[in-house]
Amino acid sequence: MKVPAGLAGSAITVARVPSPIEEVRDERLGGVRLLLKRDDLIHPEISGNKWRKLKYNLGPGRVLTFGGAYSNHIRAVAAAGAAYGFETIGVIRGEEHLPLNPSLAYAVSRGMRLTYLDRSTYRRKHTPEVIDALRAEFGDFRLLPEGGSNAAAVRGCAEIPAELDAQLDSYDLVCCPVGTGGTLAGIAAGLAPGREAVGFSVLKGGEFLAGEVARLQREALGRVTGNWRIECGFHFGGYARSRPELEEFASDFAVRHGLRLDLIYVAKMMYGIYALARELAPGTVVVALITG
Ligand SMILES: *Cc1c(COP(=O)(O)O)cnc(C)c1O
């Protein structure tokens, strides 16, 4: 993939915030109103919640971060480095496979340097031993955790409810998919009293994620807010796994509403929202964050 000339100049100006809101009209929702917060339209290359999470993590110097070979976070960090002019290093789980897959080829095209850790070392990636070895190899860097979830990411996502407050008369619930929990931690942190955030785990066994969200809120705010929960029953087999009913739901949604839902994250949340809608009081206004 070739880097378009002038990316660095244009990328800064193309960020579209506040992201637009669209209503979904669907009789299957009963009396529930469903609004889509289209964060997928924020930026052509630093898509969705990754733009929010990176916003306060940008800055001069070199950034090193971690991810799988298909990680959206790795792509987004590489794009941000090219757009905002900082060096990036991507530490990838597993062995190098050539030719690079499209995600990693894209990252390299945006100037990211890649290195690989075997799976057992990767599991210890946040230990001083592994970090010191990376510093010895690459020099000093700012470390962004896997998925980009840290206190600065929580701050970036906490701006979502403020946008909603300016765009909507009222709403009750804000929903998002949950991978590492940074997005949910931020949304809940930014909500006014009386509103709630519901996350949908895309991981199997996502019960541990509540501890992660709490940890991130403590890091960012010094406390845990009581206005969020995580639904763990819509993972469809686990991360990047799928089932025919999820694919059918997503293709039907595309036909009805003209929007292709990302199957790894967004479709799982949306399936969960349609399931939960049956239990919500008529008139409830649900905002679904389209994270990518
Ligand atoms: C990374 C990602 C998520 C997960 O966000 P977390 O803050 O890690 O929970 C959700 N949706 C999309 C499209 C993503 O790329």
Side-chain angles (χ1 to χ4, degrees), residues 160-229:
I160 296 167
E163 280 182 26
L164 294 174
D165 295 347
Q167 290 171 304
L168 298 172
D169 292 333
S170 80
Y171 57 96
D172 302 294
L173 289 183
V174 182
C175 297
C176 69
V178 178
T180 61
T183 306
L184 178 63
I187 291 172
L191 283 177
R195 300 192 166 128
E196 277 182 63
V198 182
F200 294 82
S201 171
V202 304
L203 313 178
K204 190 172 169 177
E207 287 75 14
F208 79 96
L209 287 165
E212 284 299 295
V213 173
R215 178 183 66 76
L216 286 162
Q217 285 200 327
R218 245 180 252 116
E219 233 175 77
L221 318 169
R223 69 194 173 89
V224 182
T225 65
N227 59 352
W228 56 269
R229 66 171 205 276

Side-chain angles (χ1 to χ4, degrees), residues 60-145:
R62 190 179 289 141
V63 165
L64 178 142
T65 194
F66 300 92
Y70 292 90
S71 162
N72 288 343
H73 167 66
I74 290 287
R75 287 180 66 107
V77 170
Y84 297 92
F86 56 92
E87 267 183 65
T88 58
I89 300 158
V91 182
I92 310 302
R93 181 181 58 232
E95 276 157 29
E96 181 178 39
H97 292 286
L98 294 174
L100 294 175
N101 73 39
S103 294
L104 295 181
Y106 171 85
V108 168
S109 81
R110 291 297 177 271
M112 182 176 258
R113 278 194 285 165
L114 299 181
T115 187
Y116 298 82
L117 292 181
D118 66 77
R119 275 152 212 278
S120 84
T121 313
Y122 192 87
R123 256 178 259 122
R124 293 182 288 115
K125 61 188 170 298
H126 292 145
T127 62
E129 183 202 350
V130 175
I131 302 294
D132 287 349
L134 289 167
R135 281 202 208 281
E137 189 175 348
F138 293 103
D140 207 23
F141 50 72
R142 284 187 291 129
L143 189 141
L144 258 184

Side-chain angles (χ1 to χ4, degrees), residues 49-50 53 72 147 149 177-184 262 265-266 291-292:
N49 68 336
K50 300 302 183 285
K53 293 172 77 169
N72 288 343
S149 286
V178 178
T180 61
T183 306
L184 178 63
D262 154 79
Y265 293 100
V266 180
T291 44

